[in-house]
């Protein structure tokens, strides 16, 4: 069975500091997909990134970067030079390959990030 | 306009009442999902549907039922609401034929059962 662990329940950092959110996953599939979503205080879920299991290249998008390491089953998310607008709950999620009847998304419990001005 | 909409956005009800949450989508996706979010527990799957004639239980289906009235509409019902069903509910859709199961979420419905 697939599982996603976000061990950091809450993190607080001072504005402009860098912060890394950890995500560790478990799956028996060799083909799978990993996601990060942001949930700001308004409550909606905002898609941030998707990564498939065959692509271990790290990705950078502005102040956001993602480090995917299959060897440690981790897909960590780093925010550089954090801003108050980054304050939100962040979810990591896993989807195993779209075999019939198995296309479910499993979420971690989320990390609440607070950026202190 | 939003691709996935949920009504109502907020609802307060009393124990024992029947409640229906509605989800509509204009994305043309076959697959639809209902999740609930509780503090510290993330999102958990209640029910999902891969097409109009297909309904499947998720991780926490007890106390809930669903109806897929059309490709674009997927409703979640609480037959007799109880306080521990107080949560934030999300509807989501995804496209058949993709391999990554990227899901698109509605804005959420905040339900409070007194």
């Amino acid at each position: 069975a697939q599982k996603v662990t976000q061990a950091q329940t809450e993190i607080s950092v001072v504005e402009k500091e860098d912060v890394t959110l950890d995500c560790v996953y478990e799956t028996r599939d060799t083909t799978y997909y990993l996601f990060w979503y942001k949930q700001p205080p308004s409550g909606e879920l905002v898609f941030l990134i998707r990564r498939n299991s065959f692509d271990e290249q790290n990705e950078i998008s502005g102040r956001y970067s993602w480090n995917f390491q299959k060897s440690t089953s981790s897909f960590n998310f780093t925010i550089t030079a954090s801003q108050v607008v980054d304050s939100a709950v962040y979810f990591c999620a896993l989807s195993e390959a779209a075999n019939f009847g198995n296309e479910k998304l499993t979420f971690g419990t989320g990390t609440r990030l607070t950026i202190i001005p | 306009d939003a691709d996935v909409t949920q009504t109502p956005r907020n609802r307060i009800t009393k124990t024992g009442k029947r409640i229906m949450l509605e989800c509509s989508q204009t994305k043309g996706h076959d697959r639809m999902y209902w999740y609930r979010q509780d503090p510290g527990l993330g999102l958990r799957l209640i029910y999902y549907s891969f097409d109009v004639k297909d309904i499947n239980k998720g991780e926490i289906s007890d106390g809930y039922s669903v109806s897929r009235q059309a490709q674009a509409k997927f409703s979640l019902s609480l037959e007799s609401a109880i306080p521990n069903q107080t949560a934030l509910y999300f509807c989501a859709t995804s496209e058949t034929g993709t391999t990554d199961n990227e899901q698109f979420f509605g804005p959420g419905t905040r339900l409070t059962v007194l």
Side-chain angles (χ1 to χ4, degrees):
Chain A
Q2 54 193 46
K3 182 179 179 182
V4 176
T5 301
Q6 295 179 256
Q8 304 152 308
T9 304
E10 296 191 23
I11 300 175
S12 294
V13 300
V14 176
E15 194 173 20
K16 299 184 183 177
E17 288 185 352
D18 299 347
V19 58
T20 296
L21 309 183
D22 297 334
C23 174
V24 174
Y25 61 91
E26 296 176 26
T27 178
R28 295 179 182 176
D29 266 16
T30 55
T31 303
Y32 51 89
Y33 298 83
L34 295 161
F35 301 81
W36 275 95
Y37 287 87
K38 174 182 179 180
Q39 186 178 44
S42 51
E44 74 274 21
L45 286 168
V46 179
F47 167 81
L48 295 178
I49 192 171
R50 174 182 65 248
R51 171 69 69 218
N52 74 57
S53 54
F54 296 110
D55 182 1
E56 288 194 71
Q57 273 193 321
N58 292 330
E59 179 153 342
I60 298 174
S61 176
R63 296 184 296 106
Y64 295 171
S65 62
W66 290 269
N67 182 10
F68 177 31
Q69 292 196 344
K70 289 178 73 171
S71 61
T72 56
S73 297
S74 64
F75 186 43
N76 297 336
F77 173 33
T78 297
I79 302 174
T80 302
S82 60
Q83 300 177 1
V84 173
V85 294
D86 296 327
S87 295
V89 179
Y90 291 85
F91 291 100
C92 181
L94 166 69
S95 174
E96 292 173 339
N99 298 316
F100 183 75
N102 197 28
E103 299 90 337
K104 292 185 282 293
L105 202 59
T106 298
F107 283 83
T109 53
T111 297
R112 180 177 299 278
L113 175 63
T114 301
I115 308 300
I116 303 166
Chain B
D1 289 340
D3 295 320
V4 184
T5 58
Q6 294 183 230
T7 56
R9 293 294 311 279
N10 289 282
R11 181 72 184 267
I12 299 174
T13 191
K14 295 182 179 180
T15 298
K17 294 291 188 181
R18 185 177 187 275
I19 295 297
M20 179 180 287
L21 309 183
E22 299 186 347
C23 176
S24 294
Q25 52 114 347
T26 58
K27 298 188 75 67
H29 290 170
D30 287 324
R31 300 178 177 182
M32 299 187 74
Y33 311 79
W34 275 105
Y35 293 87
R36 67 175 278 175
Q37 182 186 357
D38 298 277
L41 294 179
L43 277 74
R44 294 180 292 166
L45 184 64
I46 306 172
Y47 271 95
Y48 60 103
S49 168
F50 285 166
D51 64 42
V52 175
K53 297 179 181 179
D54 175 76
I55 300 290
N56 303 281
K57 292 183 178 180
E59 182 185 350
I60 51 165
S61 59
D62 287 350
Y64 301 95
S65 62
V66 290
S67 173
R68 186 78 185 269
Q69 302 97 318
Q71 186 204 39
K73 296 184 182 297
F74 191 36
S75 300
L76 176 71
S77 293
L78 288 67
E79 298 301 324
S80 180
I82 55 177
N84 77 0
Q85 290 177 314
T86 293
L88 182 57
Y89 290 84
F90 285 101
C91 174
T93 74
S94 68
E95 189 174 8
T96 302
T98 64
T99 55
D100 62 12
N101 195 33
E102 180 176 351
Q103 295 184 13
F104 299 83
F105 287 84
T109 295
R110 191 169 297 279
L111 176 66
T112 303
V113 183
L114 301 176

